[in-house]
Amino acid sequence: MPYHEMLATANIHHEGFEMPKNVWGIALDDSKIQRKLLVRFFMYVGIPENHIHIFGASASEIKGFDSWAVSFIDNHPNDYFLMIIDENLDVQEENTTISGSLAVSDMRRRLLSDQERRVLALIRSANDSASDVAIYRARAHGFLPKAPIKKEAVREVLVPIWLKRFPRFENNMKKKTMRTTPIEDMEGEVVIAMEDLTPCIEDIDHFATLYDENLEDKWNIIWEKLHALKGDLLIMPSHATLIEAIRLITSLRGPVPPNKFYEKWQSIKSLLQSYQIASLEGKL
């Protein structure tokens, strides 16, 4: 069910919800951009910065996450845990990809039943087909799409999921707005500049010039970079040029490189360049 329909069905007014004080926000994402945004996500829902842990900057943080989480939960027997976990975690040092939902599944199996009942683990992914979402929900507690992070939208999405998992906190519905951590620029969207995407674009540029046989050998790595780029584009303010770029990236998904990959990548890059020019000229 779409999140706006879930909210209407639950008859929950997210403006009147106050997040409990004994909640930790924990995230795992291999993207530097996404990690920065996830700090803002947790602060929007009322978790203070000293209760936020963000991982994914290194292979050790990614591969050791489930063990760290089990230990952390064990050391906080009276607290609750909101986890936002990226599904496709690239371990660049090893050129491998780890499934975030499998990491959550492993963590849940290692927790005692009382500990697991205090965790809400959500998988965040740009892949949102019905089959993908069914996998995320089987391994974790739910799914979050990648989208622009706005304060009200974050609350609107999260509160119904939180109360479905923890109905005991319905008493936290008050006539005041959700407790938030005050920072100067909390209002509005988090703005991502095209320059933030340059390293990923340059990496794909390099791969796009490979001969066909080498391209096929590297396709898993290339696709993961394309997928990461798509995820970053999804959290930027919606624009027709970006929507078309996202559509073209999605069309490349498959076990082998598509025909004329170089030409298709150039079309995507051209769209991104057009968006950047329009942004610099104030035409967006």
Side-chain angles (χ1 to χ4, degrees), residues 3 13 47 58 69 206 215:
Y3 289 113
H13 302 287
I47 299 175
S58 66
H206 167 73
L215 188 66

Side-chain angles (χ1 to χ4, degrees), residues 212 215 219 226 251-262 264:
D212 288 346
L215 188 66
W219 180 243
L226 285 164
S251 72
L252 301 177
R253 185 180 185 182
V256 296
N259 293 329
K260 298 183 177 180
F261 170 69
Y262 178 82
K264 292 176 180 179

